[in-house]
Every structure is written in C-alpha cells, then in structure tokens.
Amino acid sequence: MKKVFALVDCNNFYAACERLFRPELSDKPIVVLSNNDGCVIARSNEVKKLGISMGAPYFKNEALLRKHNVTVFSSNYALYGDLSHRVMDVLQQLEPEVEMYSIDEAFLSLPYHNGREMCKYAAWIKEKVRQCVGIPVSIGIGPTKTLAKIATHIAKKNSQQNGVFSLVNHANSDALLESVVVADVWGIGRQYADILARRGILHALDLKNADDVWVRKHLTVNGLRTVMELRGISCLPLGSVPPAKKSIVSSRSFRRPVCEFSDLKEAVASYVSTAAAKLRAQGALAGAIHVFLSTNRFAAKGPQRSVSTMIKLPQPSSYTPTLLKYASQGLARIYKSGYRYNKAGIMLVELSGHLLKQANLFCPAEKESDSLMEAVDTINTRWGRNMVRFAAEGVAKSWRMKQAHKSPAYTTCWKNLPVVRAD
DNA sequence: TCTGGGGTCCTAGGACCC
DNA sequence: TCTGGGGTCCTAGGACCC
C-alpha cells in the first residue's frame, strides 16, 4: 500500500508546556529562556508578534519583555521531557509507525488516501493529543519527509487550515513551493541559503528545479537528497527505532566567569557524572573522553581562549570514578590561568555496547564496581537527581548556571504536584 | 553584568601503507 | 636535476537539525 509521511509538530512546545499548568496565561505573552537564562528559545505567538526573534539574548530584550508584561520562564527540561513522552505515547497508541524526531516533533507513516480524507484523519489525531495531553499540535502531510515539513509550515502559517495541511497530490503544489523561502526548507541553514541566493535560488520551487550536479558540489549529498525530496522522491525513510547514541555531551555556561582550576575541576566532574549516568542508562561504555573549555566569545575585552583535548581510555568504561580521573587529567592538560572561562564541557565518544568490553593486554584493568554504579543510579532515579554524588563535584557550586524563573516539576516530582481546589 | 545545549553527517587533508 | 600512484584511516572543521 502506498504510504505518505505526516509530521506532528507541537506548537511553541516549551511555551505550551508552561501554559498547561498556568491556564491564566493561555492568552498572555510568555517566553522560555535557554539554560543560564541566556537566550529566548520559545515564544508564544503574542511574543513573536512583538518581533522578538528566536535565540535573542535575554538581557538585551528584558526591558521590552517587561514593558509588554511578558511572563518569563527558565528552561524546565524535566517538565518538557515528560510532556513530550506523553505526546509520543498518544501517537504510538494511534499509529504503528512513529519516529520521535525531536522533543516536539514526530514523523508518522500513514496509508495513502485522498487529500481530504488525510486531513480529516490528521485533524482527529490533533484533537486526540489535545484531549489526552493538552498540547496543541500542527500536522503536515506529504509524499516525503521534507514535503511533510513544508506542509506543517503552511499549516502553521495559515490560520484557515486549522493546523492541518496536506501536500499529497496537491494541484497547486508548485505555486505553494514558490511561496516558501529557501531558508525555510528543512536542511537549508544560513550558509546554504547564502550560497543558493548567490545563484538566484530563493524559493523552495527554485531549489526543486536546481541543477543536480551543482547542488551535489556545493551542498553535498545531503543537499541533493533535499532536492530529490522536494521532487517527491523519498530519500529519508522513517526510523521508528531510535539509533543508539554515538556520543554523549554534557556542558554548561557558568553563571559568572570562572578563572580557578579548582572550580573548573568541580564543574567538569559534575558534567562527567551526568554524562556517565546517561551512558549507563543506555548500557554503553565510552572509549574516550573529550574535555573542552572556552572564554566568552562575545566579550569585547580580555584574552580569548577555546581549547579541547581527547583522552583515550585504556579500556572502555562507564565507571564514574574512572571517567572522572581521565577527565581531570584532560582538564589539567588544557587549563591555563589568566583567562575568564565561561563554559566547560565533556563529551563521551567511541561508545560501545557493554558486551563488547575489550580488555587491554598491556595495562592492568581499573578496579571498577558495577554494583556501586548501579546503586548510585538506582538511588538517584528513585529519590531525585544528585541525591548521592561524588565529592569531586563540589558542594557550593558558585559557578552553577542561572535559572531565576524556573517553574515547578509539576509532573515528575511529588512535592511539585499541582493542587486542585474545589471551592 | 548578562548571548544554550545536545546531537548527526560530510568533506578535505594529512599520515601512512605498499 | 629529475623520485608514483592508489588506497585507507583518522581528525578537524563546518554544515545542518531541534
């Protein structure tokens, strides 16, 4: 049977999550900030109309936001992650083939029907998600993922579509593609949009009709895939099984510039601890660890520095103390005093499965205790993150990121459960 | 004072091999 | 004086996504 792709995309997802537990804000402007309260990363429609762009620095827009009575939230990923799961659960109950593409988007593979039937069914899915979770979504349908993305874009932009739009066998699809600027096509970022503009390729339709050889040369095979997808030739299959991670990153900006090695060491230890728990959760081992460190690239004065190093482990490990030891060696290798660092991080790479553990003939195995890690993970899962932690992570953590406007973990923490009163 | 974090994939170029 | 060519592997950097 012929199949088509549908993209289910949550509208202003983080903002919608915050509003769910603050219904009095349902028609009021709100924004959600990135970690460290740095940038605006989600905006309600009212805020979009104010001209505040995605990624705008908060401190530069604080006055404007206050002037318009915008409610500001720090990121609350425990909440967004949990609501995302609930949305995905609903979709998986309705359809067998679901690819969770990001925290707020999922691709579905649907049997082909005529345009009107498809839209009717999508509207039903949309209503189900609203009923069960309370998050509004838009749904776009197309013969390829890239066209489904564009259909979603159209569904969101035109209010008369009621949040659902299908490009499958659409009579005027070329006219519609002509109305979409090329930078809004999935896979075309700023750099590629500039390259395309220099060649006079400004809209999705121009890209669809572009020369294959030229595209392959300047936009790599990925660009060529995008072109094929615009032509209705599906190159990106639905991946219902999420692939195992190839790397795990943990990094944060600091609340204030950090100069001292001891502070950086604590920060790096905290990141290692977080990443190691994720590593174990997916039953993997890391073969190497990157450590990186940088000063504030926006700072006008003061010397700049951005460094990283890679440490190969003698044998793959997921044991936090081992990872801490090598991360700390890496940090010592790249640290230089006299700089105001604003960010550090680690990346676990060369991940392999637990069963593939390869001993090192020339290096005695580290003394590692799986049961200790299991106990730590169990306690922290049961009683909350960081309930038990390593001394190396420090206690005061004066460098820890800023989160001045964080909402409660309404759905993932007993203490924060919303209370309903009937009076 | 204050500008996020976590991923993937592709390519070019160097090292190294025979 | 004049010193090949083809292959693989690895890494860094750059592009993209949300």
Side-chain angles (χ1 to χ4, degrees):
Chain A
M1 187 195 299
K2 196 176 153 192
K3 292 257 189 169
V4 296
F5 294 93
L7 175 67
V8 180
D9 189 340
C10 302
N11 300 341
N12 310 330
F13 182 57
Y14 296 170
C17 292
E18 297 292 351
R19 272 178 169 167
L20 199 53
F21 292 92
R22 297 280 303 275
E24 78 277 13
L25 297 176
S26 64
D27 53 355
K28 303 277 192 304
I30 74 172
V31 294
V32 179
L33 305 179
S34 63
N35 273 333
N36 219 26
D37 292 348
C39 312
V40 172
I41 53 164
R43 306 152 293 157
S44 67
N45 288 337
E46 299 80 5
V47 176
K48 289 182 182 171
K49 282 183 197 143
L50 290 179
I52 304 238
S53 54
M54 180 74 172
Y58 174 51
F59 75 96
K60 284 189 179 171
N61 292 281
E62 214 176 331
L64 182 64
L65 292 168
R66 198 170 313 130
K67 187 178 152 201
H68 289 91
N69 260 325
V70 177
T71 306
V72 175
F73 291 93
S74 301
S75 296
N76 182 348
Y77 289 105
L79 178 66
Y80 313 150
D82 183 58
L83 291 174
S84 170
H85 278 129
R86 294 177 189 217
V87 171
M88 301 299 171
D89 280 350
V90 171
L91 297 176
Q92 278 167 333
Q93 282 165 30
L94 301 178
E95 277 300 320
E97 291 180 90
V98 179
E99 174 188 338
M100 289 174 256
Y101 172 65
S102 73
I103 193 163
D104 66 339
E105 283 167 277
F107 283 105
L108 315 180
S109 175
L110 301 180
Y112 170 79
H113 293 285
N114 68 46
R116 190 185 297 175
E117 284 297 309
M118 302 249 45
C119 283
K120 236 166 93 182
Y121 181 55
W124 180 77
I125 293 178
K126 177 181 155 69
E127 178 55 21
K128 274 280 172 207
V129 175
R130 195 201 60 77
Q131 255 178 27
C132 300
V133 193
I135 295 289
V137 301
S138 300
I139 303 182
I141 304 164
T144 66
K145 282 183 165 179
T146 303
L147 289 169
K149 272 264 187 191
I150 288 181
T152 310
H153 182 76
I154 295 170
K156 284 191 173 183
K157 273 196 136 176
N158 305 318
S159 49
Q160 71 268 29
Q161 308 298 345
N162 292 321
V164 171
F165 190 77
S166 170
L167 268 171
V168 176
N169 282 343
H170 196 288
N172 295 321
S173 64
D174 272 4
L176 287 165
L177 291 183
E178 204 170 6
S179 72
V180 175
V181 293
V182 82
D184 286 340
V185 174
W186 191 37
I188 304 300
R190 269 256 302 276
Q191 303 299 321
Y192 283 178
D194 285 351
I195 294 172
L196 292 167
R198 271 180 251 131
R199 215 181 196 239
I201 297 170
L202 303 174
H203 297 98
L205 182 63
D206 306 330
L207 185 58
K208 176 183 169 183
N209 295 326
D211 177 65
D212 292 3
V213 176
W214 184 88
V215 170
R216 171 71 181 81
K217 180 159 175 229
H218 292 92
L219 271 59
T220 81
V221 289
N222 288 328
L224 191 55
R225 266 185 213 124
T226 298
V227 170
M228 293 300 163
E229 288 244 318
L230 286 173
R231 293 175 190 163
I233 301 161
S234 177
C235 305
L236 305 167
L238 193 89
S240 10
V241 185
K245 297 240 181 306
K246 295 177 176 171
S247 62
I248 295 174
V249 174
S250 180
S251 78
R252 292 282 181 279
S253 302
F254 304 131
R255 170 185 294 258
R256 53 164 179 86
V258 170
C259 306
E260 298 302 318
F261 182 77
S262 56
D263 284 338
L264 292 170
K265 202 174 152 189
E266 280 182 14
V268 164
S270 304
Y271 307 150
V272 166
S273 182
T274 305
K278 281 191 195 171
L279 183 69
R280 291 190 294 270
Q282 75 171 55
L285 302 166
I289 177 166
H290 285 266
V291 184
F292 48 91
L293 195 57
S294 63
T295 53
N296 184 354
R297 66 200 161 101
F298 296 103
K301 49 184 186 190
Q304 290 283 341
R305 192 151 185 268
S306 178
V307 275
S308 73
T309 189
M310 199 260 278
I311 308 250
K312 186 114 183 130
L313 305 187
Q315 53 261 131
S317 172
S318 64
Y319 186 56
T320 302
T322 301
L323 298 168
L324 284 172
K325 180 174 111 185
Y326 290 104
S328 160
Q329 283 176 13
L331 181 67
R333 196 191 281 173
I334 55 177
Y335 174 76
K336 249 198 214 169
S337 62
Y339 293 89
R340 291 159 59 82
Y341 298 101
N342 89 317
K343 183 175 179 172
I346 65 107
M347 174 158 58
L348 302 177
V349 294
E350 295 177 22
L351 307 191
S352 58
H354 218 28
L355 299 175
L356 295 172
K357 192 161 186 173
Q358 171 82 54
N360 188 328
L361 185 59
F362 303 104
C363 180
E366 307 269 350
K367 283 209 179 65
E368 300 190 337
S369 160
D370 287 347
S371 51
L372 174 62
M373 289 301 98
E374 215 180 298
V376 167
D377 292 338
T378 308
I379 293 170
N380 285 338
T381 307
R382 175 79 180 78
W383 299 101
R385 277 179 65 185
N386 294 328
M387 190 52 68
V388 283
R389 55 185 189 271
F390 290 85
E393 297 174 41
V395 178
K397 302 196 181 188
S398 62
W399 38 267
R400 191 162 46 193
M401 68 179 174
K402 199 160 36 175
Q403 285 186 303
H405 311 280
K406 194 164 163 190
S407 53
Y410 298 108
T411 60
T412 52
C413 176
W414 289 111
K415 280 191 307 221
N416 295 163
L417 278 185
V419 176
V420 180
R421 286 193 200 86
D423 45 31

